[in-house]
Amino acid sequence: MATFAVGADGTVIAGLLPAIAADLDVSVPAAGQLVTVFALTMALSAPVMGAFTSALDRRSALLIALTVFVIGNVATALGTSYGAVMAARVVTAVGAGVITSAASSAAVAMAPPERRGRALAFVLGGLTLASALGLPLGALIGRADWHLALWSVAGAGLLAAVGIAVGLPRIPLPAASLTDRLRPLKQGRVLALLAVTSLAFLGAYTLYTYIGPALRGPAGGDDSLLTLILLASGVGTLAGNIAAGRLVDRHDPGRVLTAALALATLTLALTPLATRALAPTVIWAVVWGMTIGVIVVPQQHRLVSLGSTAAAPVLLGLNSAALYLGMALGGGFGGLAQKWLGLAPSELGPAAAGVTALALLWDVGANRRAAASAPATRKPAPAAPERPAA
Protein backbone atom coordinates (compact mmCIF):
# COMPACT_ATOMS: atom_id res chain seq x y z
CA MET A 1 0.00 0.00 0.00
CA ALA A 2 2.90 2.36 0.73
CA THR A 3 4.48 1.78 -2.66
CA PHE A 4 1.03 2.03 -4.26
CA ALA A 5 0.61 5.48 -2.73
CA VAL A 6 4.02 6.57 -4.06
CA GLY A 7 3.27 5.17 -7.51
CA ALA A 8 -0.14 6.80 -7.62
CA ASP A 9 1.36 10.12 -6.59
CA GLY A 10 3.81 9.95 -9.47
CA THR A 11 1.21 8.92 -12.05
CA VAL A 12 -1.96 10.86 -11.27
CA ILE A 13 -0.29 14.16 -12.12
CA ALA A 14 0.58 12.85 -15.59
CA GLY A 15 -3.08 12.08 -16.25
CA LEU A 16 -4.22 15.51 -15.04
CA LEU A 17 -1.79 17.80 -16.83
CA PRO A 18 -4.39 19.60 -19.01
CA ALA A 19 -6.66 20.30 -16.01
CA ILE A 20 -3.74 21.39 -13.80
CA ALA A 21 -2.33 23.62 -16.54
CA ALA A 22 -5.69 25.31 -17.05
CA ASP A 23 -6.33 25.79 -13.32
CA LEU A 24 -2.85 27.15 -12.55
CA ASP A 25 -2.73 29.22 -15.76
CA VAL A 26 0.42 27.60 -17.18
CA SER A 27 1.22 25.59 -20.30
CA VAL A 28 1.00 21.78 -20.39
CA PRO A 29 4.84 21.42 -20.63
CA ALA A 30 5.16 23.71 -17.60
CA ALA A 31 2.64 21.59 -15.70
CA GLY A 32 4.68 18.56 -16.72
CA GLN A 33 7.61 19.97 -14.79
CA LEU A 34 5.67 19.19 -11.61
CA VAL A 35 6.41 15.56 -12.45
CA THR A 36 10.02 16.43 -13.26
CA VAL A 37 10.67 18.31 -10.01
CA PHE A 38 8.95 15.60 -7.96
CA ALA A 39 11.12 12.88 -9.48
CA LEU A 40 14.34 14.94 -9.34
CA THR A 41 13.79 15.76 -5.66
CA MET A 42 13.23 12.07 -4.94
CA ALA A 43 16.44 11.17 -6.77
CA LEU A 44 18.56 13.72 -4.90
CA SER A 45 16.97 13.34 -1.46
CA ALA A 46 16.67 9.55 -1.34
CA PRO A 47 20.35 8.82 -0.47
CA VAL A 48 20.48 11.67 2.06
CA MET A 49 17.19 10.81 3.77
CA GLY A 50 18.08 7.13 3.62
CA ALA A 51 21.27 7.87 5.56
CA PHE A 52 19.34 9.90 8.15
CA THR A 53 16.85 7.08 8.70
CA SER A 54 19.25 4.13 8.37
CA ALA A 55 19.65 3.76 12.15
CA LEU A 56 15.89 3.27 12.47
CA ASP A 57 14.14 -0.04 11.99
CA ARG A 58 12.31 -0.26 8.67
CA ARG A 59 8.87 0.19 10.24
CA SER A 60 9.83 3.47 11.91
CA ALA A 61 11.53 4.73 8.76
CA LEU A 62 8.42 3.97 6.71
CA LEU A 63 6.10 5.69 9.20
CA ILE A 64 8.20 8.88 9.26
CA ALA A 65 8.45 8.93 5.46
CA LEU A 66 4.71 8.35 5.05
CA THR A 67 3.94 11.22 7.45
CA VAL A 68 5.97 13.66 5.33
CA PHE A 69 4.42 12.18 2.19
CA VAL A 70 0.85 12.67 3.42
CA ILE A 71 1.54 16.24 4.56
CA GLY A 72 3.02 17.07 1.16
CA ASN A 73 0.01 15.70 -0.69
CA VAL A 74 -2.41 17.61 1.52
CA ALA A 75 -0.45 20.79 0.77
CA THR A 76 -0.58 19.96 -2.96
CA ALA A 77 -4.34 19.46 -2.81
CA LEU A 78 -4.74 22.82 -1.06
CA GLY A 79 -2.43 24.64 -3.50
CA THR A 80 -3.94 27.42 -5.58
CA SER A 81 -0.84 28.70 -7.41
CA TYR A 82 1.89 27.12 -9.50
CA GLY A 83 4.59 28.09 -6.99
CA ALA A 84 2.68 26.68 -4.02
CA VAL A 85 1.95 23.41 -5.80
CA MET A 86 5.58 23.11 -6.91
CA ALA A 87 6.82 23.62 -3.33
CA ALA A 88 4.35 21.04 -2.05
CA ARG A 89 5.60 18.53 -4.62
CA VAL A 90 9.13 18.99 -3.28
CA VAL A 91 7.98 18.22 0.29
CA THR A 92 6.03 15.18 -0.93
CA ALA A 93 9.03 13.86 -2.83
CA VAL A 94 11.30 14.04 0.22
CA GLY A 95 9.00 11.60 2.01
CA ALA A 96 8.39 9.44 -1.04
CA GLY A 97 12.11 9.01 -1.70
CA VAL A 98 12.54 6.87 1.41
CA ILE A 99 9.45 4.69 1.01
CA THR A 100 10.34 2.51 -1.97
CA SER A 101 13.86 1.60 -0.82
CA ALA A 102 12.74 1.02 2.80
CA ALA A 103 9.90 -1.25 1.69
CA SER A 104 12.15 -3.14 -0.74
CA SER A 105 14.91 -3.65 1.83
CA ALA A 106 12.33 -4.94 4.32
CA ALA A 107 11.20 -7.48 1.73
CA VAL A 108 14.78 -8.60 1.05
CA ALA A 109 15.45 -8.99 4.78
CA MET A 110 12.35 -11.16 5.32
CA ALA A 111 12.48 -13.32 2.19
CA PRO A 112 14.77 -16.35 1.64
CA PRO A 113 17.22 -15.91 -1.26
CA GLU A 114 15.36 -18.27 -3.57
CA ARG A 115 12.18 -16.19 -3.27
CA ARG A 116 13.82 -12.78 -3.31
CA GLY A 117 12.65 -11.96 -6.84
CA ARG A 118 9.02 -12.68 -6.03
CA ALA A 119 9.25 -10.74 -2.76
CA LEU A 120 10.61 -7.68 -4.55
CA ALA A 121 7.98 -8.04 -7.26
CA PHE A 122 5.23 -8.22 -4.64
CA VAL A 123 6.35 -5.06 -2.86
CA LEU A 124 6.99 -3.22 -6.12
CA GLY A 125 3.59 -4.49 -7.27
CA GLY A 126 2.28 -1.46 -5.41
CA LEU A 127 3.99 0.79 -7.96
CA THR A 128 2.68 -1.22 -10.88
CA LEU A 129 -0.81 -1.49 -9.38
CA ALA A 130 -0.71 2.30 -9.15
CA SER A 131 0.01 2.38 -12.88
CA ALA A 132 -2.93 0.04 -13.43
CA LEU A 133 -5.34 1.98 -11.25
CA GLY A 134 -3.73 5.27 -10.19
CA LEU A 135 -3.44 6.91 -13.60
CA PRO A 136 -6.90 6.02 -14.93
CA LEU A 137 -8.59 6.64 -11.59
CA GLY A 138 -6.73 9.91 -11.24
CA ALA A 139 -7.88 10.96 -14.69
CA LEU A 140 -11.44 9.90 -13.86
CA ILE A 141 -11.53 11.68 -10.50
CA GLY A 142 -9.73 14.68 -11.94
CA ARG A 143 -12.53 15.24 -14.44
CA ALA A 144 -14.46 16.72 -11.52
CA ASP A 145 -11.54 18.43 -9.73
CA TRP A 146 -7.86 17.53 -9.94
CA HIS A 147 -7.43 18.41 -6.25
CA LEU A 148 -9.61 15.40 -5.33
CA ALA A 149 -7.07 13.04 -6.89
CA LEU A 150 -4.36 14.37 -4.56
CA TRP A 151 -6.67 14.04 -1.55
CA SER A 152 -7.16 10.40 -2.57
CA VAL A 153 -3.39 9.83 -2.71
CA ALA A 154 -3.01 11.38 0.75
CA GLY A 155 -5.70 9.00 2.00
CA ALA A 156 -3.85 6.02 0.52
CA GLY A 157 -0.66 7.11 2.28
CA LEU A 158 -2.51 7.45 5.59
CA LEU A 159 -4.03 3.98 5.17
CA ALA A 160 -0.57 2.56 4.45
CA ALA A 161 0.80 4.17 7.61
CA VAL A 162 -1.93 2.59 9.72
CA GLY A 163 -1.33 -0.82 8.14
CA ILE A 164 2.44 -0.63 8.69
CA ALA A 165 2.04 0.50 12.31
CA VAL A 166 -0.25 -2.45 13.02
CA GLY A 167 1.00 -5.24 10.77
CA LEU A 168 4.73 -4.83 10.06
CA PRO A 169 7.24 -6.12 12.63
CA ARG A 170 10.34 -4.18 13.61
CA ILE A 171 13.07 -4.95 11.05
CA PRO A 172 16.42 -3.56 12.24
CA LEU A 173 19.20 -3.44 9.67
CA PRO A 174 22.79 -2.20 9.96
CA ALA A 175 22.98 1.59 9.84
CA ALA A 176 24.69 3.17 6.86
CA SER A 177 26.05 6.72 6.70
CA LEU A 178 25.79 8.89 3.61
CA THR A 179 29.41 8.00 2.82
CA ASP A 180 28.54 4.30 3.08
CA ARG A 181 25.56 4.82 0.80
CA LEU A 182 27.62 6.52 -1.86
CA ARG A 183 30.58 4.13 -1.63
CA PRO A 184 29.07 1.59 -4.10
CA LEU A 185 29.24 4.33 -6.75
CA LYS A 186 32.97 3.62 -6.89
CA GLN A 187 32.20 0.16 -8.28
CA GLY A 188 32.03 0.11 -12.06
CA ARG A 189 29.42 -2.67 -12.17
CA VAL A 190 27.09 -0.79 -9.82
CA LEU A 191 27.44 2.41 -11.82
CA ALA A 192 26.71 0.56 -15.05
CA LEU A 193 23.51 -0.96 -13.66
CA LEU A 194 22.34 2.36 -12.23
CA ALA A 195 22.93 4.02 -15.61
CA VAL A 196 20.70 1.40 -17.24
CA THR A 197 17.92 2.15 -14.75
CA SER A 198 18.16 5.90 -15.40
CA LEU A 199 18.26 5.55 -19.18
CA ALA A 200 15.37 3.08 -19.25
CA PHE A 201 13.10 5.39 -17.25
CA LEU A 202 14.33 8.48 -19.08
CA GLY A 203 13.04 6.84 -22.25
CA ALA A 204 9.77 5.71 -20.69
CA TYR A 205 8.93 9.05 -19.06
CA THR A 206 9.76 11.08 -22.15
CA LEU A 207 6.34 9.89 -23.31
CA TYR A 208 4.70 8.71 -20.07
CA THR A 209 4.78 12.15 -18.45
CA TYR A 210 2.60 13.47 -21.27
CA ILE A 211 0.58 10.30 -21.86
CA GLY A 212 -2.77 12.01 -21.25
CA PRO A 213 -2.35 14.68 -23.95
CA ALA A 214 -0.57 12.19 -26.23
CA LEU A 215 -3.50 9.77 -26.37
CA ARG A 216 -6.35 12.24 -26.73
CA GLY A 217 -6.29 11.67 -30.49
CA PRO A 218 -7.11 7.94 -30.54
CA ALA A 219 -9.54 8.54 -27.65
CA GLY A 220 -11.38 11.06 -29.83
CA GLY A 221 -11.29 13.60 -27.01
CA ASP A 222 -13.50 11.31 -24.90
CA ASP A 223 -12.23 11.19 -21.31
CA SER A 224 -13.89 7.81 -20.73
CA LEU A 225 -12.03 6.24 -23.66
CA LEU A 226 -8.79 7.86 -22.50
CA THR A 227 -9.33 6.27 -19.08
CA LEU A 228 -9.83 2.92 -20.81
CA ILE A 229 -6.51 3.23 -22.65
CA LEU A 230 -4.70 4.23 -19.47
CA LEU A 231 -6.26 1.29 -17.66
CA ALA A 232 -5.05 -1.05 -20.43
CA SER A 233 -1.52 0.31 -19.97
CA GLY A 234 -1.74 -0.21 -16.23
CA VAL A 235 -3.01 -3.77 -16.57
CA GLY A 236 -0.05 -4.49 -18.85
CA THR A 237 2.34 -2.99 -16.31
CA LEU A 238 0.87 -5.12 -13.53
CA ALA A 239 1.13 -8.25 -15.69
CA GLY A 240 4.75 -7.42 -16.53
CA ASN A 241 5.61 -6.98 -12.86
CA ILE A 242 4.05 -10.31 -11.88
CA ALA A 243 5.84 -12.09 -14.72
CA ALA A 244 9.16 -10.40 -13.87
CA GLY A 245 9.20 -11.78 -10.34
CA ARG A 246 8.88 -15.35 -11.59
CA LEU A 247 11.21 -14.87 -14.54
CA VAL A 248 14.15 -13.56 -12.53
CA ASP A 249 13.83 -16.45 -10.07
CA ARG A 250 14.10 -18.93 -12.98
CA HIS A 251 16.25 -17.19 -15.60
CA ASP A 252 19.20 -14.81 -15.83
CA PRO A 253 17.90 -11.36 -14.79
CA GLY A 254 20.14 -9.72 -17.43
CA ARG A 255 18.45 -11.62 -20.24
CA VAL A 256 15.00 -10.79 -18.85
CA LEU A 257 15.88 -7.09 -18.90
CA THR A 258 17.37 -7.28 -22.41
CA ALA A 259 14.15 -8.76 -23.76
CA ALA A 260 12.05 -6.11 -22.01
CA LEU A 261 14.16 -3.20 -23.30
CA ALA A 262 14.16 -4.57 -26.86
CA LEU A 263 10.37 -4.90 -26.85
CA ALA A 264 9.98 -1.43 -25.30
CA THR A 265 12.17 0.11 -28.01
CA LEU A 266 10.11 -1.49 -30.77
CA THR A 267 6.80 -0.56 -29.16
CA LEU A 268 7.76 3.09 -28.67
CA ALA A 269 9.12 3.35 -32.21
CA LEU A 270 5.75 2.17 -33.54
CA THR A 271 3.78 4.69 -31.45
CA PRO A 272 2.77 6.97 -34.39
CA LEU A 273 1.45 3.97 -36.37
CA ALA A 274 -0.07 2.06 -33.46
CA THR A 275 -2.06 4.95 -31.99
CA ARG A 276 -4.09 6.02 -35.00
CA ALA A 277 -7.25 4.23 -33.85
CA LEU A 278 -8.68 3.07 -30.55
CA ALA A 279 -8.27 -0.73 -30.88
CA PRO A 280 -4.57 -0.80 -31.86
CA THR A 281 -3.88 1.87 -29.25
CA VAL A 282 -5.27 -0.37 -26.50
CA ILE A 283 -3.05 -3.25 -27.67
CA TRP A 284 -0.05 -0.92 -27.88
CA ALA A 285 -0.76 0.35 -24.35
CA VAL A 286 -0.87 -3.18 -22.92
CA VAL A 287 2.42 -4.21 -24.56
CA TRP A 288 4.26 -1.04 -23.57
CA GLY A 289 2.89 -1.30 -20.04
CA MET A 290 4.23 -4.85 -19.77
CA THR A 291 7.74 -3.70 -20.67
CA ILE A 292 7.66 -0.97 -18.00
CA GLY A 293 6.47 -3.49 -15.42
CA VAL A 294 9.41 -5.82 -16.07
CA ILE A 295 12.32 -3.35 -15.86
CA VAL A 296 12.65 -2.67 -12.12
CA VAL A 297 12.64 -6.23 -10.74
CA PRO A 298 15.66 -7.65 -12.65
CA GLN A 299 17.60 -4.46 -11.96
CA GLN A 300 17.01 -4.69 -8.23
CA HIS A 301 17.73 -8.41 -8.25
CA ARG A 302 21.07 -7.86 -10.02
CA LEU A 303 22.08 -5.09 -7.62
CA VAL A 304 21.19 -7.07 -4.50
CA SER A 305 23.21 -10.03 -5.79
CA LEU A 306 26.34 -7.83 -5.82
CA GLY A 307 26.40 -7.47 -2.04
CA SER A 308 25.24 -8.91 1.26
CA THR A 309 21.76 -8.57 2.75
CA ALA A 310 23.14 -5.77 4.93
CA ALA A 311 24.15 -3.86 1.78
CA ALA A 312 20.74 -4.32 0.14
CA PRO A 313 19.16 -1.10 1.53
CA VAL A 314 22.07 0.96 0.18
CA LEU A 315 21.97 -0.62 -3.29
CA LEU A 316 18.17 -0.47 -3.51
CA GLY A 317 18.21 3.14 -2.38
CA LEU A 318 20.69 4.02 -5.11
CA ASN A 319 18.53 2.21 -7.67
CA SER A 320 15.48 4.18 -6.54
CA ALA A 321 17.46 7.39 -6.90
CA ALA A 322 18.57 6.36 -10.40
CA LEU A 323 14.98 5.49 -11.31
CA TYR A 324 13.62 8.85 -10.20
CA LEU A 325 16.49 10.67 -11.85
CA GLY A 326 15.50 8.99 -15.11
CA MET A 327 11.86 9.98 -14.56
CA ALA A 328 12.89 13.59 -13.93
CA LEU A 329 15.13 13.75 -16.98
CA GLY A 330 12.45 12.08 -19.11
CA GLY A 331 9.82 14.63 -18.10
CA GLY A 332 12.26 17.45 -18.77
CA PHE A 333 13.37 16.00 -22.10
CA GLY A 334 9.79 15.51 -23.22
CA GLY A 335 8.93 19.09 -22.30
CA LEU A 336 11.97 20.50 -24.10
CA ALA A 337 11.22 18.38 -27.18
CA GLN A 338 7.78 19.99 -27.34
CA LYS A 339 9.08 23.50 -26.71
CA TRP A 340 12.26 23.54 -28.80
CA LEU A 341 11.55 20.94 -31.48
CA GLY A 342 7.87 21.72 -31.83
CA LEU A 343 6.83 18.11 -31.26
CA ALA A 344 3.27 17.37 -30.19
CA PRO A 345 2.85 15.00 -27.20
CA SER A 346 1.66 12.29 -29.62
CA GLU A 347 4.99 12.57 -31.50
CA LEU A 348 7.23 11.81 -28.51
CA GLY A 349 7.20 8.01 -29.02
CA PRO A 350 10.14 7.75 -31.48
CA ALA A 351 12.26 10.07 -29.31
CA ALA A 352 11.49 7.86 -26.31
CA ALA A 353 12.40 4.80 -28.41
CA GLY A 354 15.80 6.29 -29.19
CA VAL A 355 16.63 6.74 -25.51
CA THR A 356 15.37 3.25 -24.67
CA ALA A 357 17.53 1.79 -27.45
CA LEU A 358 20.50 3.58 -25.87
CA ALA A 359 19.65 1.91 -22.54
CA LEU A 360 19.54 -1.47 -24.30
CA LEU A 361 22.90 -0.96 -26.00
CA TRP A 362 24.49 0.30 -22.80
CA ASP A 363 23.25 -2.73 -20.85
CA VAL A 364 24.44 -5.22 -23.46
CA GLY A 365 27.86 -3.54 -23.54
CA ALA A 366 28.07 -3.44 -19.74
CA ASN A 367 27.22 -7.13 -19.53
CA ARG A 368 29.94 -8.00 -22.02
CA ARG A 369 32.50 -5.89 -20.15
CA ALA A 370 31.52 -7.53 -16.85
CA ALA A 371 31.83 -11.01 -18.38
CA ALA A 372 35.21 -10.16 -19.91
CA SER A 373 36.60 -8.78 -16.64
CA ALA A 374 35.32 -11.67 -14.52
CA PRO A 375 38.16 -13.99 -13.44
CA ALA A 376 38.26 -17.17 -15.47
CA THR A 377 37.32 -20.32 -13.64
CA ARG A 378 40.50 -22.24 -13.06
CA LYS A 379 40.61 -26.00 -13.27
CA PRO A 380 42.12 -27.63 -10.19
CA ALA A 381 45.74 -28.65 -10.66
CA PRO A 382 46.37 -32.40 -10.79
CA ALA A 383 47.45 -33.81 -7.50
CA ALA A 384 51.14 -34.62 -7.20
CA PRO A 385 51.90 -38.34 -6.95
CA GLU A 386 52.54 -39.52 -3.45
CA ARG A 387 56.10 -40.42 -2.61
CA PRO A 388 56.77 -43.78 -1.01
CA ALA A 389 57.63 -43.54 2.62
CA ALA A 390 61.37 -43.51 3.29
Side-chain angles (χ1 to χ4, degrees), residues 1-3 57-60 62 99-124 163-164 166-174 304 308-310 312-313 316:
M1 180 59 72
T3 57
D57 65 275
R58 295 302 84 192
R59 182 178 66 179
S60 298
L62 282 167
I99 293 172
T100 302
S101 60
S104 297
S105 59
V108 170
M110 291 189 291
E114 67 274 10
R115 296 186 63 86
R116 194 173 281 170
R118 272 168 280 188
L120 284 170
F122 184 79
V123 171
L124 294 173
I164 286 170
V166 173
L168 189 71
R170 293 173 58 88
I171 306 173
L173 292 175
V304 169
S308 63
T309 301
L316 293 173

Side-chain angles (χ1 to χ4, degrees), residues 5 8 30 35 54 60 83 113 125 172 183 188 193 222 236 302 305 345 347 351 368 374 382:
V35 179
S54 66
S60 298
R183 187 173 292 117
L193 289 175
D222 188 328
R302 289 200 290 178
S305 68
E347 298 171 332
R368 289 178 177 175

